[in-house]
Amino acid sequence: MTYTWSVFTKPWSGLPGDELGKLVAGLGFTGAEIPVRDTAFVTPATAGSDLPPFVEQLRAEGVEPISIAGDLSESAFSAAAKAGVPMIRIMAPIGPDGYAASVRRIRQELEDAITLVTRYGVQVGVQPHHGRFVTSSLGVLHLLEGLPDEFKVVWDAAHDALAGDDPAVTLELVKDRLGIVNLKNAKYLRTDEGWKTWFGQADEGLSDWSAVFANLHDYTGPICLTGQYSDPSVPVEERLRSDLRTAVTSSSAAPSGEYD
């Protein structure tokens, strides 16, 4: 199976496009997710003017943007469309008003975005996240129920495992809305302050990446390594090179019958 091997460029969010493109390509990736945030090179305020040339600089290095990590403002949709970026990735945070009220509010925001999705031809991807977010793939799928097909699930190996789920179950559930597969790994560590989440490399957490690939079936979209590691003692670039090798090996070892 051929995938677009991608990376979330948050670790280098301050780099201009030409430098970032060279770095990402040098690590062996052909795709990238771009943060559009106040702390990044491309900010929400400048995305309209800065994102298109930024994306062209990535493409000049053989790196195709798969998504931006941003918000559902019209300016974000317009910038993504101008740059030819196919998706805006968001998460579903739980506010102080509680889970049920937050889900109703987020659902309304998604429904309000239907007009923008149609106008600009840009998809929306919603990712589960542990903590004060919608944490499970099933929760995200429920959030998207009845929305147009352009609203996708961004499945995440680490957060799926932190939620106690099984990729054999969740990947089957979300397959019709699967937009991006995030690869990272995590586990819970006991500390003096209680249980904490610790993000490690491919073989250092609760997620079995081989099981992920064994259950992807006919998926041909982007595989995005997120570059999130709790231990800063090893350069993120070194960890990503290793994890990309592991991911490619895991994908090649997946039973061919799973893709029939």
Side-chain angles (χ1 to χ4, degrees):
M1 188 67 68
T2 300
Y3 302 111
T4 300
W5 295 104
S6 307
V7 63
F8 183 28
T9 60
K10 179 181 176 181
W12 321 281
S13 60
L15 289 181
D18 54 350
E19 293 182 32
L20 182 64
K22 290 182 175 66
L23 188 154
V24 169
L27 292 174
F29 295 97
T30 58
E33 179 178 78
I34 305 162
V36 177
R37 296 170 176 169
D38 288 334
T39 55
F41 187 89
V42 180
T43 70
T46 66
S49 59
D50 290 354
L51 186 62
F54 188 92
V55 163
E56 285 309 309
Q57 289 175 323
L58 294 184
R59 289 186 174 127
E61 301 298 331
V63 177
E64 184 64 28
I66 63 167
S67 55
I68 60 172
D71 58 35
L72 300 183
S73 64
E74 182 163 10
S75 60
F77 277 94
S78 176
K82 285 168 61 178
V85 179
M87 180 184 290
I88 299 171
R89 178 179 67 85
I90 64 169
M91 294 178 291
I94 305 304
D97 50 352
Y99 187 93
S102 297
V103 166
R104 287 194 296 270
R105 182 178 61 255
I106 296 163
R107 171 64 185 217
Q108 186 59 58
E109 293 170 357
L110 293 169
E111 291 179 4
D112 292 343
I114 293 174
T115 300
L116 299 175
V117 167
T118 302
R119 179 181 304 157
Y120 292 103
V122 175
Q123 299 174 340
V124 172
V126 183
Q127 179 204 315
H129 194 287
H130 81 291
R132 293 196 64 81
F133 296 87
V134 174
T135 57
S136 70
S137 299
L138 182 58
V140 170
L141 193 63
H142 179 259
L143 189 62
L144 302 182
E145 186 176 358
L147 293 176
D149 292 343
E150 289 82 3
F151 289 81
K152 302 294 187 181
V153 175
V154 177
W155 187 90
D156 189 288
H159 295 297
D160 195 70
L162 289 170
D165 288 330
D166 183 341
V169 175
T170 54
L171 284 170
E172 175 66 22
L173 286 171
V174 305
K175 65 179 181 180
D176 293 335
R177 283 199 184 265
L178 189 55
I180 295 175
V181 170
N182 280 352
L183 280 188
K184 58 178 178 277
N185 215 337
K187 59 186 177 182
Y188 292 105
L189 289 182
R190 192 181 202 98
T191 70
D192 292 340
E193 293 79 34
W195 289 97
K196 302 292 185 181
T197 307
W198 187 90
F199 290 90
Q201 291 192 238
D203 59 349
E204 297 179 322
L206 298 168
S207 176
D208 179 351
W209 288 8
S210 295
V212 172
F213 285 104
N215 288 282
L216 279 180
H217 305 292
D218 295 321
Y219 176 76
T220 57
I223 304 288
C224 188
L225 278 67
T226 64
Q228 183 174 0
Y229 305 104
S230 296
D231 178 5
S233 66
V234 178
V236 65
E237 295 85 357
E238 182 177 329
R239 292 190 186 278
L240 279 167
R241 285 191 183 96
S242 174
D243 277 355
L244 179 58
R245 289 193 296 269
T246 299
V248 171
T249 300
S250 298
S251 71
S252 300
S256 59
E258 297 291 347
Y259 300 116
D260 292 341

